[in-house]
Amino acid sequence: MLDATPTTLVERQALRVNPAKTCQPIGAMYSALGIHGCLPHSHGSQGCCSYHRSHLTRHFREPIMAATSSFTEGTAVFGGGANLRQALKTIYKLYDPPVVAITTTCLSETIGDDIPTIIREATESGVIPNGKTVIHANTPSYVGCHITGWSNMTASMVKYLSERSGESRNQVNLIPGYVEPSDTRELKQMLATWGIDAVTFPDTSDVVDTPQTGHFQMYPQGGTTVEALKTTGDSLATIALGPEASTQAAIALDAKCQVPAHILDLPIGVAATDRLVQTLMDVTGTQPTDEIVNARGRLVDVMTDMQAYLYEKRVAIAGDPDQVVPLVEMLVTCGAKPVYVITGAESKYFRDRTQAILGETVPEAVIRDNADLFYLHQLMKQEPVDLLISNVYGKYIARAEDVPFVRYGWPILDRVGHSYFPTLGYGGSLHLLCTIINTLLDRKDRDDPDEVFELVL
Amino acid sequence: MTDTTRTQTDLERQIAQASQDVKEARSPIDSTTTQTAVKDIVEAYPAKVGKKRAKHIVVRDPNIPEQTIEANVRTTPGIITQRGCAFAGCKGVVVGPIGDVVHIVHGPVGCSYYSWLIRRNQFRARANGRNFVNYCFTTDLTEHDIVFGGMNKLRQAIQEAYDLFQPPAITVHSTCPVGLIGDDIQGVSREMSEKLGISIVAFNCEGYKGVSQSAGHHIANNGFFKNWIGTNEEAEEVEGYTVNLMGEYNIGGDTWEIERVLEKCGIQVISKLSGDGSYDEATESHLAKLNLVMCHRSINYMADMMETKFGIPWIKVNFIGVNAFAKSLRKIAEVFDDPELTERIETVIAEEMAETEAQLATYRERLTGKTVFLFVGGSRAHHYQELFADLGMKTVVAGYEFAHRDDYEGRDALPNIKIDADSRNIEEIHVKQDPERYNPPFSEEALAKMETNNTLKDYKGMMPDMGEGTLLVDNISHHELDVLIERFKPDLIGSGIKDKYVIEKLGIPCKQLHNYDYGGPFAGFRGAVNFAKDVDLRVNTPVWKYVKAPWLN
């Protein structure tokens, strides 16, 4: 497996091999699905839209609906305005979505289609019926990565929809970040338990994890409603989780409606979740419930019970910055040593925070953004690790090097559960920690000779 | 022939007849339901769109001698299509499966990422150990490259790929913005090819070209043919019955099952284009005596060009379905016209069919009478009708994403097809007879006989294989799929990943016929058994009974 990967590291200037990221519009499409009744629309040639739908579908095993402007060579030369107008006509006649969220691709960005003007003209000429919401985000694929696309679309929700009425509401805005529907559900549940009113956006729970009922719902029951999004300008504060995914929207909301922003790491692990709880205490002036405190206690209990299996373990991690940073912190909290930590994104947040966490505890750690899985594999070949944590593409490295492997982050295309079982909050962190420890125990059971094979571990 | 084989042939004749009967049967959906569904589908569209879409939907009527359908035209924006782009057709489908070549995608990261390990074209390394199918290579263009051009980066990327991997060849595939910013990928590839002394082939397969994946196939065929086919002039002639497998991409190991049977018959595969294909073998593919075309849509260009240049005739085959495979083997026997080979082929067919039939019978009992919809790219919506018919299942609606009229109506339609403005810029290359290496393996007399029997270069398309009242839907939209499911309530739908969960949320099992739901092989005799098991588990699994909560009944 991956036999062509040499151990010797050669710095590459131009060739990307086995990327640890993908392009903007897929993130924007996923974000847009977190609005209730939204049909994402990809303004470009149709290949992008098919790829993005297929990829999200493979990850969630759910229908992912989206339309496209289906550019042809003529469109590429003369501009895509006519295609978008034609698309909107067909979309409203056939599929009647309450919301359309337009994303762009490298094609429409390179030719410079002016989407706001096209939307304005389509509204004036009645192509977009009265009462329908159309928003857009520019998502050039040659800038940033899928997280950038998510961030851009999430910020567009604020720019297009948030309003400040002058009367403040006793609610917080929660931007959960580029996470699983299970994670958003977990966070919403925590706030509900606590008695905090919140507008959570985008919210893909009950959109990309819908029940099987024998009915297909083009616009599932989940998603943040446009009405709720409008009220975000009147909230007490915005809690933005995952700086790469959520900062932009939080800052936009502060700029537009003066809602103060609190930008936090994703609540993965006890320390990061504690910081979220503390922020909620500060913002609302209330105390967390016993239920929340007990959930924390159960997480710490497993950490103390099972720490022997993680202590000093060398771990390689690849993923999106927002997911990797708190995971590194959680592992360090448990005494493990994340020695190779990479992300495909370009991210100062990732570099600075990872360095701050590992600088003293694991000074030998290699930390690198804008890196790829080929590079990570080469590091692992030079000096092996005890555990690899990454999205699905890591399975090839895990097999090649015979390393225990935990699937984490996005995408996971070969297992089930990630959309149902969270990794955020005290409960989610407990689930993630158990998966990590059990993976190491499975390996111990596989490798131990018969005479020392243990019943109790 | 011995008595044993004669008895087996009787059995075979029976099952072949049964399969034929299913295929030719009229649709079990009553014609009023069909007519109403079509009318309602069309009327739901904006008037202009409806008028266009009506031409893509045809109720099969065998009494109309030359029934036509509209195909290979632009997609209506906003309609929710299944289609992909030319890049997918070129890099993803035709070129990418060559497993010992480094395929570099020149563009932003997405296109290479989404085509990484997603089509299941399996590959086994040859003696040199080179295998790049699990890798993804791209120039990962950034804003700076879009503004200042990406040619230097491409040059550097090619150099780095060469230094790291020493591949026998490198391909370069352009994506949407590359065409717009004017990067000369052909020039860079030529220059680097001279510098490094290996074959470097550039494919201008920008996603906006043509109207679908189909343009990419054509672009791939051109580049592939010009640069690789027959370029090993040192290669020596190969004795015996030699073939190339063309337009067979080894999804889930299909190619290997086909090869197993061919080898058993004494037929040698020179080159595979391109599932489990290798660079060296491609350069020697002019040595084969016969080209076997599996996927007509994606490879017919190359088959024609090889015939013109080297004199290698081609025949259309179908290795999907027990009876289809037997028929295809007999077609090969007919071409080589050697009693010894013919007898060996008959023996293999008899053996394989007896073995397969023993395993298929139970599944056929559970599946007979069930109805199927098939919406697959450019060939399987036809090929799989044969396998479903082997299992007693009737295809009532079928359509391609991006096939052309000849795939629906047969190659007789070719002279009547007009290339429209959207596809006019796809290069047509004109090939001449090779003065030295043009070497038809069969006598003119033999070729003339095959011509009369319609053996050579003949593809009759999907339409004649569909019974009266069945529906053909080209480039189906979500809306059309939705209406047809609701009205026809099929027992199974064969489609792709984007539709799968839409269909299953409606309580109807979906069998993916692009990626086989991660199983396979489905080609050949053993593949048919795998397929029968897979279809049975989807149609007859108890879980469908639990979709509705008991208190709702």
Side-chain angles (χ1 to χ4, degrees):
Chain A
M1 184 58 64
L2 301 180
D3 293 334
T5 306
T7 304
T8 320
L9 270 171
V10 181
E11 285 295 322
R12 283 167 282 129
Q13 306 299 322
L15 186 68
R16 172 75 68 210
V17 189
N18 301 349
K21 63 170 181 181
T22 184
C23 65
Q24 280 208 42
I26 194 169
M29 184 185 280
Y30 181 41
S31 170
L33 289 168
I35 305 176
H36 178 67
C38 179
L39 182 69
H41 180 86
S42 170
H43 186 57
S45 40
Q46 66 207 4
C48 311
C49 186
S50 274
Y51 274 145
H52 300 149
R53 290 180 63 202
S54 301
H55 208 69
L56 289 169
T57 287
R58 290 183 180 110
H59 177 79
F60 293 112
R61 297 172 203 272
E62 286 286 314
I64 301 292
M65 303 309 290
T68 162
S69 295
S70 291
F71 276 36
T72 58
E73 193 154 13
T75 328
V77 176
F78 300 112
N83 282 53
L84 187 50
R85 273 189 296 278
Q86 225 185 333
L88 289 166
K89 276 184 200 160
T90 305
I91 285 170
Y92 285 116
K93 184 86 202 304
L94 281 181
Y95 303 120
D96 197 32
V99 186
V100 171
I102 301 166
T103 61
T104 57
T105 68
C106 42
L107 177 52
S108 51
E109 285 295 326
T110 305
I111 65 177
D113 273 349
D114 178 6
I115 309 293
T117 304
I118 302 171
I119 294 176
R120 200 187 59 237
E121 286 171 2
T123 308
E124 286 164 5
S125 63
V127 169
I128 298 168
N130 279 336
K132 298 288 185 181
T133 304
V134 178
I135 69 172
H136 100 285
N138 289 98
T139 50
S141 313
Y142 43 77
V143 176
C145 64
H146 55 293
I147 307 299
T148 323
W150 166 283
S151 165
N152 284 340
M153 181 53 84
T154 307
S156 285
M157 294 174 197
V158 171
K159 290 172 191 161
Y160 273 91
L161 302 171
S162 298
E163 288 170 3
R164 192 181 181 208
S165 71
E167 264 180 63
S168 75
R169 286 170 185 251
N170 190 23
Q171 66 180 23
V172 298
N173 301 322
L174 177 72
I175 310 178
Y178 196 129
V179 296
E180 297 292 323
S182 49
D183 293 320
T184 308
R185 185 173 284 120
E186 173 83 11
L187 293 172
K188 285 199 300 185
Q189 211 164 344
M190 184 175 100
L191 294 182
T193 306
W194 194 327
I196 299 172
D197 281 338
V199 180
T200 304
F201 75 95
D203 178 1
T204 60
S205 62
D206 294 316
V207 179
V208 295
D209 57 353
T210 61
Q212 167 64 281
T213 59
H215 300 284
F216 166 69
Q217 279 184 294
M218 183 123 177
Y219 308 111
Q221 96 186 52
T224 318
T225 61
V226 168
E227 290 69 35
L229 281 164
K230 285 183 178 164
T231 71
T232 53
D234 294 334
S235 299
L236 296 173
T238 302
I239 314 281
L241 302 178
E244 289 292 352
S246 304
T247 300
Q248 202 191 155
I251 298 294
L253 200 41
D254 189 5
K256 186 176 180 183
C257 306
Q258 293 79 51
V259 181
H262 301 264
I263 296 155
L264 301 170
D265 295 327
L266 283 178
I268 294 163
V270 66
T273 309
D274 286 349
R275 292 195 291 274
L276 170 62
V277 170
Q278 184 62 54
T279 307
L280 288 167
M281 288 164 67
D282 296 345
V283 166
T284 63
T286 59
Q287 293 290 312
T289 58
D290 286 353
E291 209 171 314
I292 294 167
V293 175
N294 289 340
R296 182 187 193 280
R298 286 192 293 272
L299 170 62
V300 180
D301 191 53
V302 170
M303 287 165 67
T304 53
D305 289 348
M306 305 303 277
Q307 55 86 24
Y309 296 107
L310 265 175
Y311 191 71
E312 297 269 286
K313 285 285 186 296
R314 289 167 53 82
V315 189
I317 305 168
D320 297 331
D322 292 344
Q323 268 78 13
V324 170
V325 167
L327 175 66
V328 166
E329 186 185 37
M330 180 171 101
L331 288 167
V332 168
T333 315
C334 297
K337 293 171 73 172
V339 284
Y340 308 133
V341 187
I342 71 132
T343 183
E346 264 192 75
S347 169
K348 187 169 181 306
Y349 159 71
F350 170 85
R351 287 194 305 268
D352 293 352
R353 287 279 294 133
T354 313
Q355 186 58 45
I357 297 164
L358 292 178
E360 280 180 23
T361 48
V362 192
E364 72 272 32
V366 179
I367 300 162
R368 185 116 152 217
D369 69 337
N370 196 18
D372 55 35
L373 294 176
F374 186 79
Y375 171 72
L376 180 70
H377 187 188
Q378 289 193 303
L379 293 175
M380 287 169 60
K381 274 173 167 292
Q382 295 209 326
E383 207 179 328
V385 295
D386 302 305
L387 177 68
L388 170 65
I389 303 178
S390 82
N391 68 13
V392 63
Y393 295 95
K395 77 189 263 183
Y396 291 82
I397 302 175
R399 183 177 164 109
E401 303 306 320
D402 195 24
V403 175
F405 177 48
V406 170
R407 287 163 181 81
Y408 172 74
W410 183 90
I412 296 170
L413 309 175
D414 65 337
R415 293 291 187 273
V416 69
H418 44 85
S419 39
Y420 304 106
F421 305 108
T423 61
L424 296 193
Y426 297 122
S429 301
L430 177 64
H431 177 248
L432 176 61
L433 184 63
C434 291
T435 307
I436 292 171
I437 292 168
N438 289 337
T439 303
L440 292 168
L441 293 177
D442 279 346
R443 178 56 60 110
K444 181 175 161 55
D445 278 347
R446 193 199 83 175
D447 291 348
D448 277 348
D450 283 0
E451 58 274 25
V452 299
F453 188 70
E454 296 287 347
L455 176 71
V456 183
L457 287 170
Chain B
M1 254 187 243
T2 64
D3 281 351
T4 353
T5 53
R6 197 173 300 279
T7 331
Q8 286 165 338
T9 311
D10 283 344
L11 165 74
E12 187 201 311
R13 222 173 275 131
Q14 278 171 25
I15 56 176
Q17 190 57 52
S19 181
Q20 189 69 18
D21 290 347
V22 173
K23 249 182 3 183
E24 286 172 0
R26 91 164 297 295
S27 172
I29 313 292
D30 74 86
S31 56
T32 321
T33 308
T34 305
Q35 299 294 349
T36 319
V38 173
K39 188 169 158 277
D40 292 350
I41 280 171
V42 170
E43 283 177 358
Y45 284 115
K48 272 187 195 164
V49 176
K51 213 171 145 197
K52 280 188 201 156
R53 285 303 303 159
K55 297 178 189 161
H56 296 258
I57 304 170
V58 169
V59 182
R60 173 73 183 133
D61 184 352
N63 301 316
I64 303 174
E66 282 172 5
Q67 224 179 350
T68 62
I69 187 166
E70 182 95 294
N72 190 36
V73 300
R74 67 168 66 172
T75 311
T76 307
I79 200 165
I80 307 191
T81 175
Q82 301 174 328
R83 278 179 171 178
C85 65
F87 164 82
C90 178
K91 191 270 177 180
V93 173
V94 179
V95 183
I98 301 285
D100 59 355
V101 166
V102 168
H103 305 290
I104 300 176
V105 179
H106 187 44
V109 68
C111 304
S112 66
Y113 172 91
Y114 301 117
S115 56
W116 179 19
L117 289 164
I118 288 304
R119 284 190 89 240
R120 301 178 56 238
N121 34 250
Q122 301 178 344
F123 177 80
R124 236 176 242 148
R126 309 300 197 266
N128 62 30
R130 288 199 191 95
N131 182 350
F132 303 114
V133 291
N134 296 328
Y135 292 87
C136 169
F137 307 97
T138 174
T139 50
D140 188 8
L141 295 184
T142 61
E143 194 157 25
H144 178 273
D145 305 314
I146 298 297
V147 175
F148 298 101
M151 278 157 66
N152 281 336
K153 197 174 194 184
L154 175 60
R155 224 171 255 128
Q156 175 71 15
I158 292 171
Q159 183 70 51
E160 288 174 6
Y162 177 78
D163 294 341
L164 270 169
F165 305 112
Q166 287 87 48
I170 292 172
T171 67
V172 175
H173 302 260
S174 55
T175 68
C176 288
V178 168
L180 300 176
I181 63 174
D183 273 2
D184 177 14
I185 65 162
Q186 299 288 345
V188 170
S189 299
R190 246 190 331 269
E191 172 200 322
M192 292 305 287
S193 178
E194 278 163 28
K195 181 180 172 196
L196 302 174
I198 60 166
S199 168
I200 301 179
V201 186
F203 295 89
N204 281 98
C205 53
E206 291 85 354
Y208 53 75
K209 289 202 167 154
V211 298
S212 67
Q213 290 93 313
S214 179
H217 302 151
H218 199 163
I219 292 162
N221 275 239
N222 291 348
F224 210 125
F225 180 79
K226 277 194 285 194
N227 292 282
W228 291 348
I229 297 296
T231 48
N232 182 349
E233 301 197 9
E234 314 288 297
E236 284 174 25
E237 214 169 301
V238 183
E239 293 291 311
Y241 315 109
T242 53
V243 298
N244 294 317
L245 265 182
M246 299 187 69
E248 166 48 58
Y249 300 101
N250 200 26
I251 306 296
D254 276 354
T255 301
W256 294 325
E257 164 64 5
I258 296 164
E259 264 186 313
R260 178 187 70 81
V261 177
L262 290 179
E263 275 169 22
K264 202 168 159 187
C265 297
I267 299 161
Q268 189 191 340
V269 178
I270 300 280
S271 173
K272 288 165 274 190
L273 304 171
S274 54
D276 192 43
S278 83
Y279 168 73
D280 284 346
E281 287 157 15
T283 65
E284 294 170 5
S285 51
H286 62 297
L287 301 176
K289 296 189 177 67
L290 178 65
N291 279 330
L292 308 179
V293 170
M294 179 67 199
C295 170
H296 176 260
R297 182 67 269 133
S298 67
I299 215 85
N300 75 89
Y301 316 95
M302 192 131 65
D304 278 343
M305 292 188 283
M306 286 175 81
E307 187 185 17
T308 310
K309 185 168 181 183
F310 301 111
I312 308 169
W314 67 266
I315 58 171
K316 176 73 183 79
V317 289
N318 178 16
F319 296 128
I320 302 292
V322 178
N323 292 294
F325 201 168
K327 265 188 283 180
S328 295
L329 288 171
R330 292 200 171 105
K331 215 166 168 184
I332 299 169
E334 188 197 329
V335 173
F336 284 110
D337 194 22
D338 178 328
E340 202 184 312
L341 177 69
T342 306
E343 199 189 322
R344 202 167 338 149
I345 285 177
E346 287 301 332
T347 312
V348 170
I349 292 174
E351 263 177 40
E352 294 281 338
M353 287 201 82
E355 200 179 297
T356 312
E357 184 52 25
Q359 298 177 70
L360 280 187
T362 14
Y363 298 109
R364 191 180 295 125
E365 266 172 42
R366 291 186 213 160
L367 296 169
T368 289
K370 308 268 186 201
T371 55
V372 180
F373 288 3
L374 285 177
F375 307 108
V376 209
S379 79
R380 291 185 189 151
H382 180 202
H383 291 149
Y384 274 82
Q385 293 192 28
E386 304 238 19
L387 182 46
F388 278 116
D390 289 347
L391 302 174
M393 297 171 77
K394 172 75 186 168
T395 304
V396 293
V397 186
Y400 299 119
E401 269 172 58
F402 50 72
H404 301 193
R405 278 179 56 197
D406 42 324
D407 305 293
Y408 285 105
E409 301 168 28
R411 286 176 66 92
D412 290 345
L414 279 171
N416 307 322
I417 298 178
K418 287 193 192 76
I419 297 174
D420 73 4
D422 292 321
S423 300
R424 204 167 291 143
N425 288 344
I426 312 298
E427 188 194 12
E428 286 279 350
I429 56 174
H430 298 285
V431 179
K432 287 197 190 98
Q433 197 168 310
D434 187 305
E436 280 155 31
R437 292 184 295 161
Y438 182 81
N439 182 21
F442 306 102
S443 69
E444 267 177 43
E445 222 183 330
L447 289 171
K449 191 179 145 202
M450 289 185 255
E451 209 79 67
T452 327
N453 293 350
N454 287 334
T455 307
L456 297 181
K457 290 179 74 159
D458 190 45
Y459 180 44
K460 298 237 179 295
M462 170 203 280
M463 216 178 252
D465 271 343
M466 296 190 68
E468 191 180 347
T470 58
L471 263 188
L472 291 94
V473 184
D474 174 65
N475 188 17
I476 194 166
S477 68
H478 170 75
H479 154 67
E480 290 159 17
L481 180 69
D482 198 36
V483 173
L484 289 172
I485 291 174
E486 188 213 330
R487 308 287 171 88
F488 288 19
K489 302 201 172 8
D491 296 299
L492 180 82
I493 298 181
S495 189
I497 187 72
K498 293 191 293 295
D499 297 334
K500 182 180 174 79
Y501 302 104
V502 174
I503 293 163
E504 297 202 335
K505 281 283 195 267
L506 288 161
I508 291 165
C510 175
K511 173 78 208 125
Q512 292 187 70
L513 287 179
H514 294 272
N515 73 17
Y516 298 174
D517 295 288
Y518 326 104
F522 291 157
F525 297 105
R526 292 181 185 169
V529 177
N530 288 338
F531 188 74
K533 286 181 189 167
D534 204 316
V535 169
D536 174 50
L537 79 85
R538 277 159 220 286
V539 173
N540 292 320
T541 177
V543 299
W544 294 116
K545 296 192 188 92
Y546 297 88
V547 166
K548 211 173 190 187
W551 51 88
L552 295 177
N553 282 329

